[in-house]
């Protein structure tokens, strides 16, 4: 009895490690995808943080994580930076952007914040952020890495002139938030599969 149980445990452990390793690779690869060439990297830096549905009066775990990623993505030194927080009232009464702004202040951030408190999808995040980042010479879009890559691809479709200013944020760290990486990799995979399917059926 012990041998089958031990074998099952070993197979389950190997499968779990395989999934975590796959999600780690997907996140690392996504953090390097759909970036610009840095041709307009002078001037103000805009760090765009994409929101996730909040139900309560405080930023949830995912949004707190994303705000922390946004804060560590800000350049150190004399360069002027602005934090752009995106997200409307998707699952609760208070816009995600407002909750994230409150959390950023709680974390000690005293810099400039711009809000998009009306968007309800990633596409709308990018569409609404355009007016807030047009002045920036360098643009970082951060979230979970695969989600951020999807958003960068959408900016390339919408405003390639702005997308050319995209640079890497600090959204990828090895071994960090492994379960979020798995969930984000799965969701991004479904998004790309749906996009490929839509392209095939388009007239």
């Amino acid at each position: 009895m012990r041998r089958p149980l031990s074998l099952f445990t070993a197979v389950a452990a190997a499968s779990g490690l395989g999934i975590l390793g796959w999600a780690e690779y997907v996140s690392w690869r996504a953090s390097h995808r759909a970036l610009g060439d840095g041709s307009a990297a002078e001037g103000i830096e805009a760090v765009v943080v994409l929101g996730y549905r909040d139900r309560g009066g405080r930023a949830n775990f995912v949004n707190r994580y994303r705000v922390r990623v946004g804060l560590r993505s800000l350049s150190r030194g004399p360069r002027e930076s602005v934090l752009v927080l995106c997200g409307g009232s998707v699952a609760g009464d208070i816009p995600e952007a407002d909750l994230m702004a409150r959390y950023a202040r709680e974390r000690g951030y005293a810099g400039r914040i711009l809000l998009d408190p009306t968007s309800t999808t990633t596409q709308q995040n990018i569409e609404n952020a355009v007016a807030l980042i047009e002045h920036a010479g360098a643009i970082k879009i951060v979230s979970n890495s695969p989600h951020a890559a999807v958003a960068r691809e959408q900016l390339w479709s919408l405003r390639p002139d702005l997308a050319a200013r995209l640079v890497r944020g600090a959204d990828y760290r090895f071994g960090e938030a492994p379960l979020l990486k798995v969930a984000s990799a799965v969701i991004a995979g479904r998004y790309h599969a749906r996009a490929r399917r839509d392209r095939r059926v388009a007239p």
Side-chain angles (χ1 to χ4, degrees), residues 8-28:
F8 174 80
T9 301
V11 170
S15 299
L17 289 174
I19 291 171
L20 292 176
W22 165 77
E24 194 73 44
Y25 171 71
V26 169
S27 292
W28 172 82

Side-chain angles (χ1 to χ4, degrees), residues 29-145:
R29 185 179 63 179
S31 71
H32 292 78
R33 199 169 69 238
L35 296 170
D37 58 10
S39 59
E42 299 297 326
I44 294 175
E45 168 192 73
V47 177
V48 181
V49 183
L50 308 175
Y52 180 77
R53 55 180 61 226
D54 258 304
R55 289 183 171 83
R58 182 172 183 266
N60 60 31
F61 170 76
V62 175
N63 279 335
R64 295 198 303 274
Y65 167 76
R66 292 180 182 182
V67 169
R68 292 195 300 271
V69 170
L71 293 177
R72 75 190 187 206
S73 295
L74 294 165
S75 296
R76 305 295 178 232
R79 183 173 200 170
E80 183 181 354
S81 299
V82 58
L83 198 62
V84 180
L85 305 176
C86 300
S89 305
V90 177
D93 297 328
I94 306 175
E96 298 155 13
D98 291 345
L99 296 175
M100 290 193 293
R102 187 184 307 167
Y103 180 67
R105 296 304 189 199
E106 291 172 359
R107 297 283 300 180
Y109 177 68
R112 188 179 173 202
I113 293 178
L114 297 176
L115 301 180
D116 155 35
T118 61
S119 60
T120 59
T121 65
T122 303
Q123 180 71 36
Q124 288 180 4
N125 284 167
I126 298 305
E127 290 172 352
N128 294 345
V130 163
L132 305 177
I133 62 176
E134 280 190 308
H135 63 291
I139 300 168
K140 299 174 182 177
I141 298 178
V142 302
S143 177
N144 311 91
S145 296

